[in-house]
Amino acid sequence: MGTSADRSSASTDYYTRGDYVPGIWVDAMDILSVREATRFAKEYCNSGKGPLMMELATYRYSGHSMSDPGTSYRTRDEIQEVRKTRDPITGFKDKIITAELATEEELKKIDKSVRKEVDEAVQKATADEILPNEALYADIYHNTEPQFVRGVTIDECVTQPFVNSAQLLKKIGRRPKAQ
């Protein structure tokens, strides 16, 4: 966690380390680059060419944990410079406004609406009952038979009791949320 990538890896071009699996590097600080790379990767894999490794490079504004404030190996000025010049959200907002796809007022209205929706979802999530442990094994894959899931120890391995959350909620007498 506290070791720089240059000191811990023989090659920091992680996207090239898949041996026979091709890879691409993506500037994940650019929303449009991520969208296009994801579109390319989906088309590549769906065309039958096999898997593709994607390395999405981002900048972390804060440290890894409370014991890592993230300021011992970089300056506050560096962090502020990245936030000012490369932040994906403000950068995309600027592109939208420059292209006259929306006004700043329209984006503020959307932001306010999203914040309200998130606050309501957080309130609802914290008020809901905690699901049983079996929920940890639900929704691993879409539209598959129950999978054998390896646990921390061999004794903790299980076959999914519920393939999806809807099955689990029905079994415990709670109604699945409409999607």
Side-chain angles (χ1 to χ4, degrees):
M1 178 174 86
T3 305
S4 72
D6 290 333
R7 288 183 43 226
S8 65
S9 301
S11 170
T12 57
D13 293 332
Y14 299 110
Y15 67 98
T16 66
R17 293 175 56 180
D19 293 327
Y20 300 104
V21 177
I24 58 174
W25 182 91
V26 183
D27 178 5
M29 299 296 279
D30 181 341
I31 291 172
L32 297 177
S33 292
V34 172
R35 182 190 68 180
E36 291 307 309
T38 303
R39 181 179 294 158
F40 168 80
K42 179 181 176 192
E43 289 172 6
Y44 181 92
C45 295
N46 286 344
S47 73
K49 295 178 182 172
L52 182 72
M53 173 74 138
M54 284 179 65
E55 178 183 351
L56 291 107
T58 63
Y59 187 87
R60 200 173 17 82
Y61 290 129
S62 57
H64 288 282
S65 67
M66 290 175 58
S67 61
D68 173 23
T71 54
S72 60
Y73 45 90
R74 56 195 178 168
T75 65
R76 292 185 196 284
D77 290 340
E78 174 190 332
I79 297 166
Q80 288 306 318
E81 181 66 21
V82 171
R83 193 181 297 270
K84 188 169 81 174
T85 61
R86 295 191 50 229
D87 184 80
I89 296 172
T90 55
F92 189 62
K93 177 183 167 187
D94 292 344
K95 287 176 184 175
I96 290 172
I97 292 171
T98 302
E100 297 180 356
L101 298 172
T103 65
E104 193 155 353
E105 292 75 31
E106 290 170 321
L107 294 178
K108 283 180 183 177
K109 186 177 177 182
I110 291 169
D111 188 49
K112 186 176 179 180
S113 171
V114 168
R115 286 179 194 274
K116 181 181 178 208
E117 184 177 340
V118 168
D119 289 343
E120 290 170 359
V122 168
Q123 284 181 336
K124 187 171 186 172
T126 55
D128 270 355
E129 295 175 41
I130 295 175
L131 292 174
N133 288 341
E134 291 83 15
L136 295 171
Y137 303 107
D139 302 311
I140 295 176
Y141 295 108
H142 175 70
N143 202 21
T144 63
E145 294 297 315
Q147 302 292 307
F148 182 72
V149 181
R150 190 177 76 191
V152 176
T153 68
I154 193 70
D155 297 331
E156 295 176 8
C157 297
V158 299
T159 299
Q160 288 175 285
F162 306 99
V163 175
N164 58 52
S165 300
Q167 290 176 348
L168 169 74
L169 293 171
K170 184 177 180 183
K171 177 76 174 177
I172 65 173
R174 285 174 56 185
R175 296 182 62 207
K177 293 169 181 52
Q179 293 186 3

